[in-house]
Structure formats: structure tokens, C-alpha cells
Amino acid sequence: MSDDYDRREEICPDCQATEGDRDARIMTAGKDPETGRMFTSVTYHHDTCTAYTVDQILMEDGVRRAKEQTEWGQKEFPLAYERLIAAVAGAKLDQAAFPFVEALVELVEAQGKDLGRVVLPEQWAEILNKHFPPAANEPTA
């Protein structure tokens, strides 16, 4: 195990299940705010445990909300993009603002091509370099 990671086992205060007499195991991950170390926390439960039932309900609710948010975003993003394009088309922009607006539109368009992923840093850099080229004496990666 690395020095940056540890595993913590917790006994459920409600059902007192242990690894040997458990029905379920809940694993979570976190970062210790004091040490900065990553850790996993393992808690064992009996299937009749109220804490386990609450945890399951909260997890299922989180999944439901995530699905709803994804569906909303899939529907809303194209509409918001159309509003952005309409606003840009109708705006009287100062010449100095053009590169900023063009970069923003292109970045939003890049994200809109696949809403199931995040635009990667290399794609951001490519788009931003196109609109804001590095100076001749400026080092590039």
C-alpha cells in the first residue's frame, strides 16, 4: 500500500456487524483534511440495519437525481447554445472582444459535440492557441 493511501474499517454503530458476520459492505473514499492522504472507509452491515437501509435509499436517490440532471442537460444544452449564437450574432462587439467571443463559442461547440464527456485540456489548449497564439518568444509545451 502506498504512503498516500490507507484503509479504515468502521463498525456500524447501529448493527455492530463485523467482517465475519456481515451481510453487506459499504466502501467509500475520501481525503483526510488534516493529512491530505486518500483513504477508503469500509463499514459492514447486517441486511436489516437501518443505517444500511438509509444509505441505500440515499444512493438510489443520488442515482435518480444524476439521471434527471443528465436528461435535463441533454435537452437544455442545445437550446442554451442556440441562445449563445443568437446573442453573439446580435451583439455589437468591439474588435478586441472578437477573439474572446470566438473562443467561447468554439469551446461551447466542442463540448456540445459529445455531452457525455468533458472537453479535454489539450482540446482547450488547441482552441485557445488558435484564438490567442503564443508570442514568438513565448515557450510552448
Side-chain angles (χ1 to χ4, degrees):
M1 192 157 301
S2 94
D3 290 338
D4 297 334
Y5 171 87
D6 64 15
R7 174 184 162 129
R8 302 171 183 181
E9 292 197 10
E10 300 173 350
I11 295 176
C12 172
D14 291 350
C15 69
Q16 301 292 313
T18 64
E19 186 174 12
D21 73 345
R22 67 172 166 89
D23 294 310
R25 175 178 66 183
I26 303 294
M27 294 184 74
T28 58
K31 185 174 186 177
D32 190 307
E34 293 178 20
T35 65
R37 289 173 51 117
M38 296 301 295
F39 66 90
T40 57
S41 178
V42 180
T43 308
Y44 301 106
H45 296 281
H46 295 296
D47 60 2
T48 57
C49 175
T50 55
Y52 175 67
T53 302
V54 168
D55 191 56
Q56 291 300 106
I57 291 168
L58 292 174
M59 181 184 66
E60 290 172 10
D61 183 57
V63 169
R64 179 193 52 77
R65 283 185 289 117
K67 285 180 181 179
E68 288 172 356
Q69 289 172 341
T70 298
E71 289 172 8
W72 177 83
Q74 296 282 345
K75 292 176 189 171
E76 187 62 27
F77 187 92
L79 301 172
Y81 180 70
E82 287 177 19
R83 292 191 301 272
L84 171 68
I85 297 301
V88 168
K92 292 183 169 96
L93 299 172
D94 182 281
Q95 198 66 16
F98 279 128
F100 297 98
V101 172
E102 288 174 337
L104 172 64
V105 168
E106 194 171 340
L107 287 165
V108 172
E109 183 180 10
Q111 181 63 68
K113 287 180 182 174
D114 185 354
L115 296 177
R117 66 161 176 78
V118 174
V119 176
L120 299 175
E122 57 269 21
Q123 207 170 355
W124 275 81
E126 181 182 324
I127 291 168
L128 292 173
N129 280 342
K130 181 167 75 174
H131 296 284
F132 305 99
N137 61 349
E138 187 179 331
T140 58

